[in-house]
């Protein structure tokens, strides 16, 4: 997911280009605006964290782009491409190093496991298996 800061900043095209050039196939793609309830559901795993409220506010503050991506070793390779959660710690050339402003407003989300990738794909695309 390209987060509201990066979409509002006009970086969607550059980020999608970087994703494709890294060898990911875009299987499904959608521009949308999450409600407070949808953002809460998406990040429900962080409900007890001190930053949850501001995270939900941020994620519902503007348009996002959701994508389902396909590649061998996709989860690990995508997390390498996007870089550390904190852009100050992210490697040069990563999406977060290039476009994130802070650990909170950090431009992009990547699934953390194959299992969660399937859940998150289903969150945005009810029939995404058929796009494949
Ligand atoms: P994401 O799940 O968005 O890909 P991540 O897996 O790198 O990010 P998580 O630990 O899952 O990091 O945190 C989810 C999101 O919550 C982060 O991307 C960031 O937007 C926000 N976040 C994480 N840690 C902090 C923090 N210490 N302060 C503020 N916001 C935070
Ligand atoms: Mg995460």
């Amino acid at each position: 997911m390209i987060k509201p800061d990066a979409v509002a900043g006009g970086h969607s095209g550059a980020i999608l280009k970087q994703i494709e050039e890294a060898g990911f196939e875009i299987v499904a793609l959608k521009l949308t605006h999450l409600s407070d309830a949808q953002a809460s559901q998406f990040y429900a795993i962080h409900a007890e964290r001190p930053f949850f409220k501001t995270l939900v506010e941020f994620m519902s503050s503007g348009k996002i782009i959701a994508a389902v991506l396909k590649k061998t070793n996709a989860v690990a390779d995508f997390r390498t491409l996007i870089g550390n959660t904190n852009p100050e710690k992210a490697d040069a050339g990563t999406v977060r190093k290039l476009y994130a402003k802070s650990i909170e407003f950090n431009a992009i989300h990547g699934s953390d496991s194959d299992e969660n990738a399937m859940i998150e794909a289903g969150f945005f695309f009810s029939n995404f298996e058929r796009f494949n």
Side-chain angles (χ1 to χ4, degrees), residues 2 17 46-47 51 68 74 82 86 90 92:
I2 304 177
K17 183 169 189 275
H46 295 311
F51 56 81
V68 179
I82 70 178
N86 183 348

Side-chain angles (χ1 to χ4, degrees), residues 43 45-46 79 85 96 109-112 120:
Y43 276 120
I45 194 167
H46 295 311
R79 293 189 75 86
T85 310
R96 283 169 168 164
H109 160 79
S111 302
D112 60 14
E120 292 172 1

